[in-house]
């Protein structure tokens, strides 16, 4: 369940990045030129680059987390076999540092190392939870598809809407998309949905203003 939730979160974040990076390129290029084919190719190229970048970055990040966990597990397995008393003392000191009496801390440490020694040591020493990290391939593909999906609506709006409404239509598409990703991220993280939606919309508007201005400067 935890892995699925983390994969979904990676997907939502990837979608948000896809929206903002694509709309940034679209606005800059569309201000500088009215050639729709040029605008479309620029937006599509950025969409693909963003999706692949997000996927590779997520894969590397999660793989690194898994490597850290695997190294910690190997170390603690060895220490539990060769220095159980030292491991027990480490857990005891950990709980004693939180204000628990020495005897109670010792009892807790003994009970934890009797029932779940490996997960206890990994948690106490490295602040890691066994099996908490998602599969790097799942994270990569989630980011890949979500980033691509996030950038599609702004790209389609700017490329295919009638010229008379392409700008307001694209702006509306961006606001809807970033509002939706804000809502989903808040729901997945048990946060405040209204605050997340407003924050994302403001970021989207600022992004559009910055790149529109950049387009005017380079025109």
């Amino acid at each position: 369940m935890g892995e699925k939730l983390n994969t979904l979160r990676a997907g939502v974040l990837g979608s948000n990045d896809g929206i903002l990076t694509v709309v940034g390129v679209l606005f800059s290029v569309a201000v500088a030129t009215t050639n729709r084919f040029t605008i479309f190719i620029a937006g599509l190229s950025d969409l693909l680059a963003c999706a692949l970048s997000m996927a590779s970055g997520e894969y590397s990040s999660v793989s690194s987390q898994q490597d850290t966990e695997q190294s910690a597990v190997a170390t603690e397995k060895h220490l539990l076999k060769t220095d159980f008393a030292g491991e027990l003392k480490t857990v005891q000191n950990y709980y004693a540092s939180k204000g628990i009496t020495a005897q109670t801390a010792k009892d807790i440490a003994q009970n934890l190392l009797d029932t779940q020694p490996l997960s206890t040591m990994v948690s106490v020493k490295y602040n890691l939870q066994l099996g908490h990290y998602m599969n790097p391939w799942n994270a990569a593909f989630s980011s890949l598809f979500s980033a691509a999906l996030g950038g599609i609506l702004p790209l389609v709006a700017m490329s295919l809407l009638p010229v008379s409404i392409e700008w307001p239509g694209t702006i509306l598409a961006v606001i809807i998309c970033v509002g939706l990703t804000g809502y989903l991220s808040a729901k997945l993280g048990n946060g405040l949905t209204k605050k997340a939606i407003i924050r994302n919309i403001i970021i989207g508007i600022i992004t559009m203003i910055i790149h529109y201005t950049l387009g005017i400067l380079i025109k």
Side-chain angles (χ1 to χ4, degrees), residues 158-200:
M158 181 64 79
S159 303
L160 300 182
L161 284 177
V163 175
S164 60
I165 61 169
E166 65 177 353
W167 282 102
T170 304
I171 292 170
L172 179 60
V174 172
I175 289 174
I176 290 172
C177 289
V178 294
L180 180 59
T181 56
Y183 172 80
L184 291 174
S185 64
K187 280 294 183 181
L188 291 172
N190 295 318
L192 300 174
T193 54
K194 183 178 179 180
K195 184 177 181 180
I197 292 171
I198 293 173
R199 179 173 60 239
N200 257 28

Side-chain angles (χ1 to χ4, degrees), residues 117-210:
L118 187 58
S119 61
T120 296
M121 295 312 306
V122 170
S123 175
V124 167
K125 282 189 175 182
Y126 305 93
N127 195 29
L128 296 173
Q129 292 179 315
L130 289 183
H132 176 72
Y133 298 110
M134 62 186 126
N135 183 288
W137 286 110
N138 289 346
F141 282 116
S142 176
S143 291
L144 175 70
F145 290 118
S146 61
L149 184 62
I152 284 176
L153 186 55
L155 177 61
V156 169
M158 181 64 79
S159 303
L160 300 182
L161 284 177
V163 175
S164 60
I165 61 169
E166 65 177 353
W167 282 102
T170 304
I171 292 170
L172 179 60
V174 172
I175 289 174
I176 290 172
C177 289
V178 294
L180 180 59
T181 56
Y183 172 80
L184 291 174
S185 64
K187 280 294 183 181
L188 291 172
N190 295 318
L192 300 174
T193 54
K194 183 178 179 180
K195 184 177 181 180
I197 292 171
I198 293 173
R199 179 173 60 239
N200 257 28
I201 289 175
I202 291 173
I203 291 172
I205 291 172
I206 291 173
T207 299
M208 289 186 281
I209 291 172
I210 290 173

Side-chain angles (χ1 to χ4, degrees), residues 6-213:
N6 283 331
T7 302
L8 287 172
R9 284 174 179 165
V12 170
L13 292 174
S15 181
N16 201 60
D17 282 347
I19 296 165
L20 296 179
T21 55
V22 169
V23 79
V25 170
L26 286 175
F27 271 51
S28 296
V29 176
V31 172
T33 178
T34 57
N35 187 306
R36 287 203 152 192
F37 183 72
T38 300
I39 296 169
F40 174 77
I41 291 300
L44 180 61
S45 298
D46 182 73
L47 184 150
L48 295 174
C50 174
L52 291 172
S53 175
M54 287 292 297
S56 61
E58 198 67 34
Y59 179 84
S60 298
S61 175
V62 175
S63 294
S64 178
Q65 291 172 338
Q66 281 196 334
D67 291 343
T68 300
E69 182 184 86
Q70 290 170 1
S71 175
V73 167
T75 299
E76 293 311 312
K77 279 183 177 179
H78 175 72
L79 289 174
L80 283 167
K81 291 179 180 179
T82 60
D83 187 23
F84 187 86
E87 296 286 83
L88 180 66
K89 188 65 176 177
T90 297
V91 180
Q92 181 181 343
N93 290 340
Y94 172 79
Y95 283 99
S97 69
K98 295 183 177 296
I100 297 174
T101 62
Q103 184 57 49
T104 302
K106 183 177 181 179
D107 292 341
I108 292 174
Q110 187 66 61
N111 178 262
L112 288 174
L113 291 192
D114 286 343
T115 56
Q116 45 188 348
L118 187 58
S119 61
T120 296
M121 295 312 306
V122 170
S123 175
V124 167
K125 282 189 175 182
Y126 305 93
N127 195 29
L128 296 173
Q129 292 179 315
L130 289 183
H132 176 72
Y133 298 110
M134 62 186 126
N135 183 288
W137 286 110
N138 289 346
F141 282 116
S142 176
S143 291
L144 175 70
F145 290 118
S146 61
L149 184 62
I152 284 176
L153 186 55
L155 177 61
V156 169
M158 181 64 79
S159 303
L160 300 182
L161 284 177
V163 175
S164 60
I165 61 169
E166 65 177 353
W167 282 102
T170 304
I171 292 170
L172 179 60
V174 172
I175 289 174
I176 290 172
C177 289
V178 294
L180 180 59
T181 56
Y183 172 80
L184 291 174
S185 64
K187 280 294 183 181
L188 291 172
N190 295 318
L192 300 174
T193 54
K194 183 178 179 180
K195 184 177 181 180
I197 292 171
I198 293 173
R199 179 173 60 239
N200 257 28
I201 289 175
I202 291 173
I203 291 172
I205 291 172
I206 291 173
T207 299
M208 289 186 281
I209 291 172
I210 290 173
H211 287 278
Y212 183 86
T213 305

